[in-house]
Amino acid sequence: MEWFVSMWDEESDFRRYRGGSGSDLAGVMAQVVAAGREIACREDGAIVAMAGNAVVDGTPMNSIPFGDFEISD
């Protein structure tokens, strides 16, 4: 199943995104969370945005707070 994660960076007016695929839902969700956490921060560690969007196997998910590191994976 394919997945896609995106987040809007207002400061740079740029959409950050990652995508990939996996064979099982648990593995895909782990990839989605890792990619979301990665794009939530700039190289200097500044938070891009708190919430991002994900699509897993063609199904859009609600906004996910990738940038809120107080919430566990």
Side-chain angles (χ1 to χ4, degrees):
M1 71 186 65
E2 295 182 354
W3 59 267
F4 178 87
V5 177
S6 68
M7 187 172 292
W8 181 252
D9 184 345
E10 285 187 41
E11 186 176 304
S12 66
D13 196 29
F14 181 75
R15 180 162 299 279
R16 301 165 67 93
Y17 64 92
R18 298 287 185 277
S21 63
S23 58
D24 64 276
L25 186 57
V28 165
M29 293 311 296
Q31 291 176 33
V32 166
V33 170
R37 295 280 193 201
E38 179 185 335
I39 65 173
C41 297
R42 292 187 190 93
E43 289 181 18
D44 66 0
I47 300 291
V48 170
M50 282 295 186
N53 298 306
V55 175
V56 176
D57 202 24
T59 303
M61 303 176 77
N62 292 333
S63 291
I64 301 171
F66 294 119
D68 189 348
F69 291 93
E70 298 292 318
I71 297 175
S72 70
D73 294 344

